[in-house]
Amino acid sequence: MKPARFDYHAPASVDEAIALLARYGGEAKLLAGGQSLVPLLNFRLSRPAALVDLNRAAGLAYIHEAAGHVRIGAMTRQRAIEFSPVIRRHLPLLAEATTLIGHLPIRSRGTIGGSLAHADPSAEYPTALTALGGQVVVRGPRGERTLAAGELFQGYLTTTLAADEMLVEVRLPAMPDGAGFAFEEFSRRHGDFAIVGIAAIVVGHGGGRCTSARLVTAGAGPIPVRLRAAEEILEREGLSDAAVEAAARRAAELVAPPSDIHASADYRRNLTRVLTARALRRAITRLNLLNTLSPAPGERAG
Ligand SMILES: Cc1cc2nc3c(=O)[nH]c(=O)nc-3n(C[C@H](O)[C@H](O)[C@H](O)COP(=O)(O)OP(=O)(O)OC[C@H]3O[C@@H](n4cnc5c(N)ncnc54)[C@H](O)[C@@H]3O)c2cc1C
């Protein structure tokens, strides 16, 4: 099938793009990498009156680090994030999550802004944004606002962005030095969307202590779910095998996944348990390795 007819605009600036969105009164769509939007157009599941192509808008593709924060422009390609030394150094969880998105050609076109705005429940970036405690900067005719992940994602493929607003920047605090992390997911074939994914971050020094833990799902509900009660088990009981197993069991109780053609709710709940344990074990291995190489003040390696 071919898309329904639409007007096409390629604005040179963010202001021009926002003016076009306002002019079409909610009937225009932004085009970023096109990796989700173009299939929807081709199947005529989306029939916008106009496409506002961001690929020629200046100043939307960058990765900057300063004062412990990383700022990423909305049109930054997933591939640029995957290979960025700044991201590998300060946000290794985001680098790992990026390698799990589709295939390299998709990541060469797909953008971080497009992925977050599309809000697919199985996508890696909404989960990574939630796990990393990041924010998005949104601009529209009424000015600029900054939203945390919990304020952005509203439901299946739905965000709180108004039709005349666009996402311009993603802001992420750098991960603490020596944090253990892992992004684990299960999909039927390499490159498919995850049936369930889990992002894990653990921070701690010596003796299996855990000063802070983050566990966030993908594909286990309409939006990413932060598994706070499971994190608390680790913060209270440490990073022993028994605590990991208890946290993973608790994680499965905290999700209410859907059943669909890909998997039943029970299967997804079981995957949540299995992948939480797997992600935590890998994160803890990294944490131990990093802390052996660079022990905290007052601690000795080995
Ligand atoms: C075969 C295949 C496999 C894939 N596998 C995965 C996967 O495993 N994991 C995964 O996460 N993704 C996957 N994707 C999707 C891919 O990551 C997309 O790149 C991403 O979902 C959308 O980004 P985009 O830049 O292509 O956005 P587009 O497709 O151009 O746009 C998507 C939506 O976001 C809106 N939008 C775009 N930019 C902005 C902005 N700055 N502000 C506001 N709204 C905006 C558009 O109007 C549209 O509604 C896959 C895609 C394909 C084709």
Side-chain angles (χ1 to χ4, degrees):
M1 251 161 103
K2 293 213 169 100
R5 288 182 70 83
F6 53 80
D7 297 344
Y8 175 81
H9 300 275
S13 69
V14 169
D15 287 347
E16 220 184 298
I18 290 167
L20 281 162
L21 291 179
R23 197 215 288 174
Y24 280 91
E27 297 301 318
K29 277 267 175 205
L30 293 168
L31 174 69
Q35 298 303 299
S36 296
L37 182 56
V38 171
L40 291 175
L41 295 175
N42 285 342
F43 284 114
R44 299 201 175 191
L45 294 169
S46 177
R47 293 163 165 257
L51 282 193
V52 177
D53 184 348
L54 293 176
N55 286 278
R56 289 185 210 159
L60 280 172
Y62 55 84
I63 299 172
H64 296 317
E65 187 274 330
H69 277 75
V70 180
R71 297 186 297 118
I72 308 175
M75 282 298 287
T76 307
R77 307 288 167 187
Q78 294 154 4
R79 186 173 194 277
I81 294 170
E82 179 176 355
F83 293 108
S84 160
V86 172
I87 299 295
R88 285 194 185 175
R89 163 78 184 83
H90 296 287
L91 295 167
L93 178 81
L94 187 67
E96 182 167 308
T98 306
T99 63
L100 300 171
I101 300 175
H103 304 276
L104 194 60
I106 289 155
R107 302 196 290 272
S108 298
R109 293 300 303 164
T111 65
I112 188 167
S115 176
L116 292 172
H118 191 59
D120 191 300
S122 294
E124 287 79 6
Y125 279 167
T127 298
L129 182 78
T130 308
L132 292 165
Q135 297 177 318
V136 295
V137 181
V138 172
R139 211 177 291 166
R142 296 163 297 284
E144 197 169 277
R145 54 196 188 114
T146 303
L147 304 173
E151 298 164 320
L152 175 67
F153 304 116
Q154 202 168 40
Y156 180 77
L157 301 182
T158 310
T159 68
T160 54
L161 294 187
D164 57 2
E165 283 183 314
M166 67 177 273
L167 200 157
V168 291
E169 186 174 273
V170 182
R171 292 184 183 161
L172 297 153
M175 290 168 63
D177 278 339
F181 66 90
F183 201 118
E184 281 286 341
E185 66 178 41
F186 179 77
S187 55
R188 277 181 203 278
R189 296 172 308 184
H190 170 71
D192 280 2
F193 273 100
I195 292 177
V196 170
I198 298 286
I201 305 175
V202 285
V203 182
H205 268 294
R209 279 179 294 132
C210 174
T211 48
S212 111
R214 285 283 170 113
L215 289 167
V216 180
T217 65
I223 59 173
V225 182
R226 181 150 173 219
L227 303 167
R228 187 63 200 130
E231 295 169 359
E232 280 169 357
I233 292 175
L234 302 164
E235 290 166 0
R236 200 173 50 239
E237 298 178 17
L239 299 172
S240 64
D241 284 349
V244 166
E245 286 303 327
R249 279 196 304 275
R250 191 78 185 95
E253 293 164 2
L254 294 171
V255 294
S259 289
D260 59 24
I261 53 162
H262 303 295
S264 68
D266 278 350
Y267 184 73
R268 283 197 162 92
R269 205 173 294 110
N270 191 45
L271 264 185
T272 302
R273 180 184 61 75
V274 171
L275 295 175
T276 299
R278 208 176 277 175
L280 280 172
R281 286 203 187 94
R282 205 151 59 76
I284 292 165
T285 303
R286 272 187 172 131
L287 174 80
N288 292 340
L289 181 67
L290 289 167
N291 290 334
T292 307
L293 295 173
S294 168
E299 287 178 0
R300 281 169 151 267

